[in-house]
Amino acid sequence: MGQQGARRPRSPALRVALAGDTMLGRGVAQRLAADPSARLVAPEVVEIAREADMVLLNLECCVSTRGRPWRDPGKPFFFRAPPAALDTLVQLGTTCVTLANNHALDYGTEALLDTFHFLEAAGIAWVGAGADVARARAPAVLDVRGRHVAVVGVTDHPSAFAAGPHRPGVAYADLRTDIPSWLTLAAASALASTQDTPDAVIVTPHWGPNMVLRPVAHVRRAADALVEAGATLVAGHSAHVFHGVARPVLFDLGDFLDDYATDPVLRNDLGLLFLVTLDAGGPRRLEAVPLALDDCRTRLASGDEATWVRSRFRRACEELGTAVTEEAGRLVIDWS
């Protein structure tokens, strides 16, 4: 990022849809096997996502029919999706996914390399993982309706998944201790191939512990450093529950699609789809649409579900000094 990557988007405004952890393996894969025509995301949610110019999410699994579970006696969950599961992302209008997370290598490097192949075949860009460390750290520079958007992926766990000079893996950084120079320079270094500066730089980190209600200290420090380095927008994930927003940081997007067990207090089965409008000054408006994650299917939240989401999001943002209003059932943050 740095000085080259610090320019803000030019007009017209760019609208970005952001979805959180999306896991297409295990029970989700079983549902697709039983009914290949199953709609994992309700049409109403797809319609809202497609209001945006681009859709970005965290793909929390590998996509393959090969590989063996990662050898780690302390690792309890392994997520592998069939190639057909990517049809759901195509229906959603997904532009780019990040693979920088703790499940990209669940079935080893063979399955990770397959994931790259299947994403490319589906026309979906990816960041945060690669055949070597240089590719894993490299941003995706996307042409979104004539505007250049640089997307950078990084994860702070696990270190065992880190890509090496000749080893496939993820873009790993120990964010608890420092923000490495490769991360703060990643977007700017990618621009040599575009001979231009990006209209927006989006950093999407997989950071912090699971099942916490608010960003922990090292996540907040890392967020400050990324903004200082020039990120237009920071969109985090990992906690499995959505957190508050402090311009230009969405600390955690929460879950979007999975088969995970539900915590009755934290309600990781209730989430949000975010639509963020960026212009020359950075993010100007955020709309958050309440979601309900049924078993292996995501739909719009309603009734008490939506009331809970609205209340929780307002409180989380209030803690960070951000005011939230409501328009036509959407939670709105206006920075204009």
Side-chain angles (χ1 to χ4, degrees):
M1 284 162 276
Q3 291 301 310
Q4 279 185 285
R7 291 190 189 177
R8 300 306 188 193
R10 297 184 292 270
S11 130
L14 176 73
R15 205 172 190 202
V16 182
L18 300 164
D21 297 337
T22 303
M23 197 285 289
L24 304 175
R26 205 169 60 181
V28 180
Q30 292 168 7
R31 176 169 180 165
L32 282 175
D35 180 6
S37 64
R39 296 293 297 266
L40 302 180
V41 180
E44 298 82 3
V45 178
V46 172
E47 184 178 354
I48 293 168
R50 284 182 168 269
E51 293 177 12
D53 299 307
M54 63 174 285
V55 178
L56 173 65
L57 56 81
N58 175 46
L59 183 58
E60 195 163 60
C61 60
C62 59
V63 181
S64 179
T65 59
R66 305 191 297 165
R68 295 182 178 181
W70 185 268
R71 292 186 178 181
D72 180 352
K75 184 172 177 58
F77 303 118
F78 301 87
F79 302 143
R80 178 177 59 184
L86 289 183
D87 289 346
T88 295
L89 301 191
V90 173
Q91 292 166 4
L92 196 66
T94 306
T95 313
C96 182
V97 301
T98 177
L99 299 173
N101 58 56
N102 56 312
H103 290 289
L105 274 157
D106 276 2
Y107 282 79
T109 57
E110 186 177 46
L112 179 63
L113 294 174
D114 283 349
T115 305
F116 305 154
H117 168 76
F118 289 120
L119 285 169
E120 184 174 12
I124 299 171
W126 75 89
V127 294
D132 55 41
V133 66
R135 176 62 182 85
R137 292 175 175 178
V141 181
L142 311 172
D143 186 342
V144 182
R145 299 187 182 180
R147 286 153 288 171
H148 290 137
V149 180
V151 182
V152 180
V154 63
T155 181
D156 67 6
H157 63 286
S159 59
F161 280 13
H166 306 289
R167 183 181 67 249
V170 303
Y172 167 79
D174 184 1
L175 301 179
R176 296 169 185 80
T177 58
D178 197 11
I179 307 298
S181 59
W182 72 259
L183 180 55
T184 56
L185 294 172
S189 66
L191 300 174
S193 62
T194 67
Q195 297 182 341
D196 198 358
T197 52
D199 294 297
V201 178
I202 302 174
V203 183
T204 177
H206 200 67
W207 53 11
N210 293 169
M211 308 306 283
V212 294
L213 283 175
R214 52 187 56 83
V216 297
H218 88 263
V219 165
R220 297 191 67 163
R221 288 195 301 270
D224 288 344
L226 291 170
V227 173
E228 177 65 25
T232 310
L233 185 69
V234 179
H237 32 82
S238 181
H240 297 301
V241 293
F242 60 82
H243 289 171
V245 174
R247 185 179 190 263
V249 182
L250 287 69
F251 282 99
D252 205 291
L253 303 173
D255 285 350
F256 181 69
L257 176 62
D258 57 51
D259 69 347
Y260 301 157
T262 300
D263 185 292
V265 176
L266 299 179
R267 296 303 304 269
N268 52 301
D269 62 327
L270 298 177
L272 291 163
L273 175 64
F274 297 88
L275 298 170
V276 179
T277 301
L278 305 172
D279 68 12
R284 288 301 178 189
R285 180 180 173 90
L286 178 148
E287 298 175 18
V289 181
L291 302 175
L293 284 66
D294 294 329
D295 186 23
C296 307
R297 185 174 187 270
T298 300
R299 57 176 172 80
L300 296 179
S302 61
D304 290 344
E305 299 166 331
T307 298
W308 189 94
V309 172
R310 288 194 293 266
S311 176
R312 167 66 196 141
F313 187 62
R314 285 176 182 274
R315 291 197 308 271
C317 289
E318 210 171 75
E319 290 180 5
L320 299 171
T322 302
V324 178
T325 60
E326 188 175 341
E327 297 177 17
R330 299 186 183 188
L331 295 154
V332 175
I333 301 171
D334 190 348
W335 292 296
S336 59

